[in-house]
Amino acid sequence: MIFKEQLPQEVMIKIQNNEPVFVLDVRESDEWESGHIPGATHIPLGQIARALNELKSSQETVVVCRSGNRSRMACEYLSSFGYNVVNMKGGMSDWTGKVEYGK
């Protein structure tokens, strides 16, 4: 299983440069509501199997959690099905960009 890793700063620069960035947040609902990257899609790690229908395998997907551990597990799972995924190393703990709150 091969996937890339990017730092939150690298992801933030892509977003600021209006590059097409698809962000998948795999944290639990309470974590998501306490602050997430604007425009991100929320699918908790425990429900990631259903994400297979919602994600485009060819589209680069940046996977996010609190610290990078759950997102790495999600990347391992999704990459095993051929999805083009990137683990955001350091997760939301290291995110310094804009944040949205609520559902």
Side-chain angles (χ1 to χ4, degrees):
M1 289 165 271
I2 299 169
F3 55 89
K4 295 185 284 189
E5 291 194 316
Q6 288 182 339
L7 296 171
Q9 296 80 0
E10 295 173 287
V11 176
M12 188 170 60
I13 289 168
K14 282 183 170 183
I15 292 170
Q16 289 171 341
N17 290 339
N18 292 318
E19 292 179 38
V21 180
F22 184 82
V23 178
L24 173 63
D25 192 315
V26 297
R27 297 176 299 156
E28 295 302 316
S29 294
D30 59 330
E31 295 173 288
W32 164 263
E33 290 170 16
S34 69
H36 55 269
I37 297 171
T41 296
H42 179 231
I43 302 173
L45 180 61
Q47 300 174 29
I48 202 72
R50 78 175 173 88
L52 299 178
N53 301 332
E54 299 178 34
L55 304 174
K56 295 183 183 127
S57 61
S58 60
Q59 177 183 37
E60 184 176 87
T61 299
V62 177
V63 186
V64 177
C65 69
R66 184 180 55 81
S67 64
N69 292 327
R70 284 175 285 176
S71 56
R72 185 172 46 251
M73 287 190 279
C75 284
E76 288 172 1
Y77 178 78
L78 292 168
S79 68
S80 73
F81 289 97
Y83 285 80
N84 180 7
V85 288
V86 177
N87 182 35
M88 190 173 90
K89 198 173 181 179
M92 290 302 289
S93 296
D94 291 346
W95 179 256
T96 58
K98 291 181 182 173
V99 174
E100 283 182 345
Y101 299 94
K103 298 180 183 185

